[in-house]
Amino acid sequence: MTMPTPRSVGPALAFSVAAAGIATYSAMDAVMKGLSIASGAYSAVLWRSVAGAVLTGTIFIIRGNKWPARLALNLHIGRGFAAGMSVLLFFWGLVRVPMAQGVALTFLAPLVALYLAAAMLGEQIRRAAILGSVIASVGVVVIAWGQAKTGASSETLLGSGAIILASFLYGFSLVLLRKQAQLADPIEVTLFTGGVIGVLLLIGAPWFAVMPSVGQLPAIGLATLLGTFSAAALAWAYGRAEAQILAPVEYTAFIWAAMLGWIVFGEHVSLYTVAGAGLIIAGCLAAIRGTAAPAPQTEAAA
């Protein structure tokens, strides 16, 4: 069966929707950091994934969605595994570093996605996308330099290493999302990706997870709603614009992380951080210049 190709939209609209998804995801990061501090990253990610699967599964059934074709299902499983390992490593590391620093390290992901998109999807890397990535990368270096000048404990170094590894896995998952979103609607993408993460974590639950307390249930529910909206928004955007156009939107997460880290956890932002954030924003603006090429046609066997 041939799946309908998502309707073409302008790159600015797709970028804006993706940016809204990133802002919402950053709010979820703050909630999840609190849960991870309280009961560990494994438990926080597990219960959020289970709650998310219940929420999106209900919507999936009410809408009358059908079980995905084999190609789409394979992509769901592959991306669920990559995203699951990425998010687990990220939140484990985020407990050990400030939010702004942790998110800055994840900016390796769009750069990974940029070049993997060329290798795996046949996308042409445009000059504007490369320029934007280079400018944003300089911003990340400025932030890292500022953090290095303050010194770092062994726990911080371990946390930073986990987040760097998570960023590589996330970059790979972004490219899979581009393919995934062309075969399935946002609710299906969100349900099966989150469901795979939940199933994988449930396997280790008897050894690594703890049951949430009653007081944590509202936070788990909030994280679920924020994560579901974010995932659906990103899936919608990635189904309508090239990965190299949308990947730099990840950089806007730094602004939200700096604000939320200060408001929620009392984390301070240095001048190095402010300068780096300015370069990151400039890189995002440079990357979306020009017109996106039409999304490639994709067929799936029923």
Side-chain angles (χ1 to χ4, degrees):
M1 180 178 68
T2 300
M3 298 295 294
T5 301
R7 183 172 61 86
S8 296
V9 299
L13 176 58
F15 189 90
S16 297
V17 172
I22 293 299
T24 308
Y25 197 90
S26 297
M28 186 207 67
D29 281 348
V31 178
M32 288 292 290
K33 177 168 181 171
L35 286 169
S36 297
I37 291 171
S39 57
Y42 195 99
S43 297
V45 175
L46 168 61
W47 301 124
R48 188 207 68 182
S49 298
V50 170
V54 171
L55 174 62
T56 53
T58 302
I59 298 172
F60 185 84
I61 292 171
I62 291 174
R63 292 179 59 194
N65 288 62
K66 296 181 179 179
W67 189 260
R70 185 169 60 181
L71 178 57
L73 185 60
N74 288 340
L75 282 170
H76 294 331
I77 294 171
R79 181 169 177 259
F81 181 79
M85 292 301 297
S86 173
V87 76
L88 187 58
L89 285 166
F90 173 71
F91 286 118
W92 187 88
L94 196 62
V95 171
R96 291 158 175 80
V97 300
M99 279 190 66
Q101 181 182 350
V103 168
L105 292 173
T106 68
F107 292 155
L108 289 169
L111 301 179
V112 173
L114 182 68
Y115 296 102
L116 283 178
M120 297 172 60
L121 306 181
E123 293 186 4
Q124 252 187 343
I125 301 178
R126 296 191 186 86
R127 221 173 266 177
I130 295 174
L131 175 63
S133 295
V134 170
I135 294 172
S137 296
V138 173
V140 174
V141 171
V142 170
I143 293 165
W145 185 20
Q147 293 291 338
K149 288 176 73 69
T150 64
S153 66
S154 59
E155 276 285 292
T156 300
L157 290 174
L158 281 173
S160 297
I163 293 174
I164 289 172
L165 181 55
S167 72
F168 276 85
L169 288 168
Y170 185 51
F172 177 61
S173 78
L174 285 178
V175 178
L176 291 182
L177 173 58
R178 170 64 173 159
K179 299 178 70 174
Q180 193 181 20
Q182 290 178 305
L183 294 175
D185 67 29
I187 292 299
E188 181 181 316
V189 170
T190 305
L191 168 61
F192 281 89
T193 301
V196 169
I197 294 173
V199 169
L200 289 172
L201 293 180
L202 279 171
I203 294 172
W207 297 277
F208 303 111
V210 296
M211 291 296 294
S213 66
V214 174
Q216 290 177 321
L217 295 180
I220 293 172
L222 178 58
T224 299
L225 291 173
L226 293 171
T228 299
F229 175 85
S230 173
L234 289 171
W236 186 93
Y238 270 85
R240 288 159 177 80
E242 288 186 354
Q244 64 175 309
I245 293 294
L246 297 179
V249 77
E250 302 289 327
Y251 297 131
T252 62
F254 177 80
I255 306 299
W256 299 108
M259 291 174 56
L260 291 166
W262 175 61
I263 294 170
V264 180
F265 301 104
E267 299 167 353
H268 297 287
V269 180
S270 68
L271 289 177
Y272 290 97
T273 300
V274 174
L279 287 168
I280 289 166
I281 293 171
C284 289
L285 294 175
I288 62 171
R289 292 178 61 188
T291 304
Q297 303 287 325
T298 309
E299 293 187 351

